[in-house]
PDB file of all heavy atoms in Angstrom:
ATOM      1  N   LEU D 375     -44.457 -14.858  34.997  1.00 95.00           N
ATOM      2  CA  LEU D 375     -44.762 -15.005  36.424  1.00 95.00           C
ATOM      3  C   LEU D 375     -46.234 -14.700  36.728  1.00 95.00           C
ATOM      4  O   LEU D 375     -46.627 -14.665  37.910  1.00 95.00           O
ATOM      5  CB  LEU D 375     -43.851 -14.078  37.237  1.00 95.00           C
ATOM      6  CG  LEU D 375     -42.342 -14.389  37.176  1.00 95.00           C
ATOM      7  CD1 LEU D 375     -41.543 -13.284  37.863  1.00 95.00           C
ATOM      8  CD2 LEU D 375     -42.027 -15.745  37.799  1.00 95.00           C
ATOM      9  N   LYS D 376     -47.025 -14.452  35.694  1.00 94.00           N
ATOM     10  CA  LYS D 376     -48.455 -14.137  35.817  1.00 94.00           C
ATOM     11  C   LYS D 376     -48.692 -12.841  36.600  1.00 94.00           C
ATOM     12  O   LYS D 376     -49.719 -12.681  37.272  1.00 94.00           O
ATOM     13  CB  LYS D 376     -49.212 -15.300  36.459  1.00 94.00           C
ATOM     14  CG  LYS D 376     -49.138 -16.586  35.633  1.00 94.00           C
ATOM     15  CD  LYS D 376     -49.914 -17.715  36.261  1.00 94.00           C
ATOM     16  CE  LYS D 376     -49.797 -18.974  35.391  1.00 94.00           C
ATOM     17  NZ  LYS D 376     -50.559 -20.117  35.958  1.00 94.00           N
ATOM     18  N   GLN D 377     -47.704 -11.953  36.509  1.00 95.00           N
ATOM     19  CA  GLN D 377     -47.840 -10.621  37.135  1.00 95.00           C
ATOM     20  C   GLN D 377     -48.306  -9.674  36.025  1.00 95.00           C
ATOM     21  O   GLN D 377     -47.552  -8.874  35.488  1.00 95.00           O
ATOM     22  CB  GLN D 377     -46.494 -10.202  37.738  1.00 95.00           C
ATOM     23  CG  GLN D 377     -46.020 -11.133  38.852  1.00 95.00           C
ATOM     24  CD  GLN D 377     -44.570 -10.900  39.263  1.00 95.00           C
ATOM     25  OE1 GLN D 377     -43.837 -10.145  38.616  1.00 95.00           O
ATOM     26  NE2 GLN D 377     -44.142 -11.541  40.344  1.00 95.00           N
ATOM     27  N   TYR D 378     -49.607  -9.775  35.697  1.00 95.00           N
ATOM     28  CA  TYR D 378     -50.137  -9.138  34.496  1.00 95.00           C
ATOM     29  C   TYR D 378     -50.104  -7.614  34.551  1.00 95.00           C
ATOM     30  O   TYR D 378     -49.857  -6.952  33.536  1.00 95.00           O
ATOM     31  CB  TYR D 378     -51.555  -9.639  34.229  1.00 95.00           C
ATOM     32  CG  TYR D 378     -51.614 -11.138  34.062  1.00 95.00           C
ATOM     33  CD1 TYR D 378     -52.331 -11.935  34.948  1.00 95.00           C
ATOM     34  CD2 TYR D 378     -50.915 -11.759  33.029  1.00 95.00           C
ATOM     35  CE1 TYR D 378     -52.365 -13.318  34.801  1.00 95.00           C
ATOM     36  CE2 TYR D 378     -50.940 -13.141  32.873  1.00 95.00           C
ATOM     37  CZ  TYR D 378     -51.657 -13.909  33.764  1.00 95.00           C
ATOM     38  OH  TYR D 378     -51.679 -15.273  33.619  1.00 95.00           O
ATOM     39  N   LYS D 379     -50.314  -7.070  35.718  1.00 95.00           N
ATOM     40  CA  LYS D 379     -50.318  -5.610  35.836  1.00 95.00           C
ATOM     41  C   LYS D 379     -48.923  -5.045  35.536  1.00 95.00           C
ATOM     42  O   LYS D 379     -48.776  -4.065  34.781  1.00 95.00           O
ATOM     43  CB  LYS D 379     -50.782  -5.197  37.229  1.00 95.00           C
ATOM     44  CG  LYS D 379     -51.075  -3.705  37.361  1.00 95.00           C
ATOM     45  CD  LYS D 379     -51.766  -3.415  38.681  1.00 95.00           C
ATOM     46  CE  LYS D 379     -52.149  -1.936  38.759  1.00 95.00           C
ATOM     47  NZ  LYS D 379     -52.887  -1.625  40.000  1.00 95.00           N
ATOM     48  N   SER D 380     -47.890  -5.667  36.120  1.00 95.00           N
ATOM     49  CA  SER D 380     -46.507  -5.230  35.866  1.00 95.00           C
ATOM     50  C   SER D 380     -46.109  -5.485  34.417  1.00 95.00           C
ATOM     51  O   SER D 380     -45.425  -4.674  33.786  1.00 95.00           O
ATOM     52  CB  SER D 380     -45.540  -5.955  36.807  1.00 95.00           C
ATOM     53  OG  SER D 380     -45.779  -5.615  38.152  1.00 95.00           O
ATOM     54  N   ALA D 381     -46.583  -6.623  33.882  1.00 96.00           N
ATOM     55  CA  ALA D 381     -46.270  -6.948  32.491  1.00 96.00           C
ATOM     56  C   ALA D 381     -46.875  -5.905  31.558  1.00 96.00           C
ATOM     57  O   ALA D 381     -46.228  -5.445  30.600  1.00 96.00           O
ATOM     58  CB  ALA D 381     -46.799  -8.337  32.156  1.00 96.00           C
ATOM     59  N   TYR D 382     -48.134  -5.525  31.837  1.00 96.00           N
ATOM     60  CA  TYR D 382     -48.816  -4.527  31.021  1.00 96.00           C
ATOM     61  C   TYR D 382     -48.089  -3.181  31.075  1.00 96.00           C
ATOM     62  O   TYR D 382     -47.886  -2.514  30.052  1.00 96.00           O
ATOM     63  CB  TYR D 382     -50.253  -4.384  31.508  1.00 96.00           C
ATOM     64  CG  TYR D 382     -51.074  -3.391  30.726  1.00 96.00           C
ATOM     65  CD1 TYR D 382     -51.482  -3.666  29.422  1.00 96.00           C
ATOM     66  CD2 TYR D 382     -51.430  -2.164  31.280  1.00 96.00           C
ATOM     67  CE1 TYR D 382     -52.245  -2.747  28.697  1.00 96.00           C
ATOM     68  CE2 TYR D 382     -52.179  -1.237  30.562  1.00 96.00           C
ATOM     69  CZ  TYR D 382     -52.580  -1.540  29.277  1.00 96.00           C
ATOM     70  OH  TYR D 382     -53.319  -0.620  28.563  1.00 96.00           O
ATOM     71  N   SER D 383     -47.670  -2.781  32.282  1.00 96.00           N
ATOM     72  CA  SER D 383     -46.977  -1.505  32.471  1.00 96.00           C
ATOM     73  C   SER D 383     -45.673  -1.471  31.673  1.00 96.00           C
ATOM     74  O   SER D 383     -45.357  -0.484  30.997  1.00 96.00           O
ATOM     75  CB  SER D 383     -46.708  -1.284  33.960  1.00 96.00           C
ATOM     76  OG  SER D 383     -45.924  -0.129  34.153  1.00 96.00           O
ATOM     77  N   ARG D 384     -44.927  -2.575  31.734  1.00 97.00           N
ATOM     78  CA  ARG D 384     -43.642  -2.628  31.019  1.00 97.00           C
ATOM     79  C   ARG D 384     -43.856  -2.680  29.499  1.00 97.00           C
ATOM     80  O   ARG D 384     -43.109  -2.070  28.738  1.00 97.00           O
ATOM     81  CB  ARG D 384     -42.840  -3.851  31.468  1.00 97.00           C
ATOM     82  CG  ARG D 384     -42.360  -3.784  32.897  1.00 97.00           C
ATOM     83  CD  ARG D 384     -41.322  -2.694  33.115  1.00 97.00           C
ATOM     84  NE  ARG D 384     -40.800  -2.726  34.482  1.00 97.00           N
ATOM     85  CZ  ARG D 384     -39.817  -1.959  34.935  1.00 97.00           C
ATOM     86  NH1 ARG D 384     -39.251  -1.082  34.110  1.00 97.00           N
ATOM     87  NH2 ARG D 384     -39.416  -2.048  36.185  1.00 97.00           N
ATOM     88  N   ALA D 385     -44.856  -3.379  29.073  1.00 97.00           N
ATOM     89  CA  ALA D 385     -45.133  -3.455  27.637  1.00 97.00           C
ATOM     90  C   ALA D 385     -45.504  -2.092  27.080  1.00 97.00           C
ATOM     91  O   ALA D 385     -45.111  -1.733  25.959  1.00 97.00           O
ATOM     92  CB  ALA D 385     -46.242  -4.469  27.380  1.00 97.00           C
ATOM     93  N   LYS D 386     -46.279  -1.309  27.864  1.00 96.00           N
ATOM     94  CA  LYS D 386     -46.646   0.039  27.432  1.00 96.00           C
ATOM     95  C   LYS D 386     -45.396   0.915  27.278  1.00 96.00           C
ATOM     96  O   LYS D 386     -45.287   1.698  26.327  1.00 96.00           O
ATOM     97  CB  LYS D 386     -47.599   0.669  28.462  1.00 96.00           C
ATOM     98  CG  LYS D 386     -48.963   0.002  28.549  1.00 96.00           C
ATOM     99  CD  LYS D 386     -49.873   0.433  27.421  1.00 96.00           C
ATOM    100  CE  LYS D 386     -50.442   1.811  27.698  1.00 96.00           C
ATOM    101  NZ  LYS D 386     -51.427   2.194  26.659  1.00 96.00           N
ATOM    102  N   LEU D 387     -44.461   0.767  28.222  1.00 97.00           N
ATOM    103  CA  LEU D 387     -43.215   1.533  28.135  1.00 97.00           C
ATOM    104  C   LEU D 387     -42.385   1.079  26.926  1.00 97.00           C
ATOM    105  O   LEU D 387     -41.784   1.901  26.234  1.00 97.00           O
ATOM    106  CB  LEU D 387     -42.400   1.364  29.420  1.00 97.00           C
ATOM    107  CG  LEU D 387     -42.964   2.050  30.671  1.00 97.00           C
ATOM    108  CD1 LEU D 387     -42.225   1.590  31.916  1.00 97.00           C
ATOM    109  CD2 LEU D 387     -42.883   3.575  30.524  1.00 97.00           C
ATOM    110  N   ALA D 388     -42.360  -0.225  26.680  1.00 97.00           N
ATOM    111  CA  ALA D 388     -41.608  -0.754  25.535  1.00 97.00           C
ATOM    112  C   ALA D 388     -42.194  -0.262  24.225  1.00 97.00           C
ATOM    113  O   ALA D 388     -41.473  -0.050  23.237  1.00 97.00           O
ATOM    114  CB  ALA D 388     -41.595  -2.276  25.575  1.00 97.00           C
ATOM    115  N   ALA D 389     -43.511  -0.062  24.195  1.00 96.00           N
ATOM    116  CA  ALA D 389     -44.178   0.395  22.968  1.00 96.00           C
ATOM    117  C   ALA D 389     -43.806   1.827  22.608  1.00 96.00           C
ATOM    118  O   ALA D 389     -44.046   2.273  21.471  1.00 96.00           O
ATOM    119  CB  ALA D 389     -45.693   0.271  23.130  1.00 96.00           C
ATOM    120  N   GLN D 390     -43.221   2.545  23.572  1.00 96.00           N
ATOM    121  CA  GLN D 390     -42.812   3.926  23.314  1.00 96.00           C
ATOM    122  C   GLN D 390     -41.431   4.010  22.650  1.00 96.00           C
ATOM    123  O   GLN D 390     -40.986   5.094  22.269  1.00 96.00           O
ATOM    124  CB  GLN D 390     -42.809   4.718  24.629  1.00 96.00           C
ATOM    125  CG  GLN D 390     -44.180   4.846  25.278  1.00 96.00           C
ATOM    126  CD  GLN D 390     -44.112   5.472  26.653  1.00 96.00           C
ATOM    127  OE1 GLN D 390     -43.122   6.133  26.995  1.00 96.00           O
ATOM    128  NE2 GLN D 390     -45.156   5.276  27.450  1.00 96.00           N
ATOM    129  N   ASP D 391     -40.758   2.872  22.540  1.00 96.00           N
ATOM    130  CA  ASP D 391     -39.428   2.822  21.927  1.00 96.00           C
ATOM    131  C   ASP D 391     -39.574   2.258  20.517  1.00 96.00           C
ATOM    132  O   ASP D 391     -40.162   1.189  20.316  1.00 96.00           O
ATOM    133  CB  ASP D 391     -38.500   1.927  22.774  1.00 96.00           C
ATOM    134  CG  ASP D 391     -37.055   2.006  22.344  1.00 96.00           C
ATOM    135  OD1 ASP D 391     -36.784   2.009  21.127  1.00 96.00           O
ATOM    136  OD2 ASP D 391     -36.178   2.058  23.232  1.00 96.00           O
TER     137      ASP D 391
END
Side-chain angles (χ1 to χ4, degrees):
L375 296 172
K376 298 181 180 181
Q377 297 168 351
Y378 302 117
K379 191 170 184 177
S380 296
Y382 181 71
S383 174
R384 292 293 185 175
K386 293 281 282 185
L387 289 169
Q390 296 173 19
D391 190 318

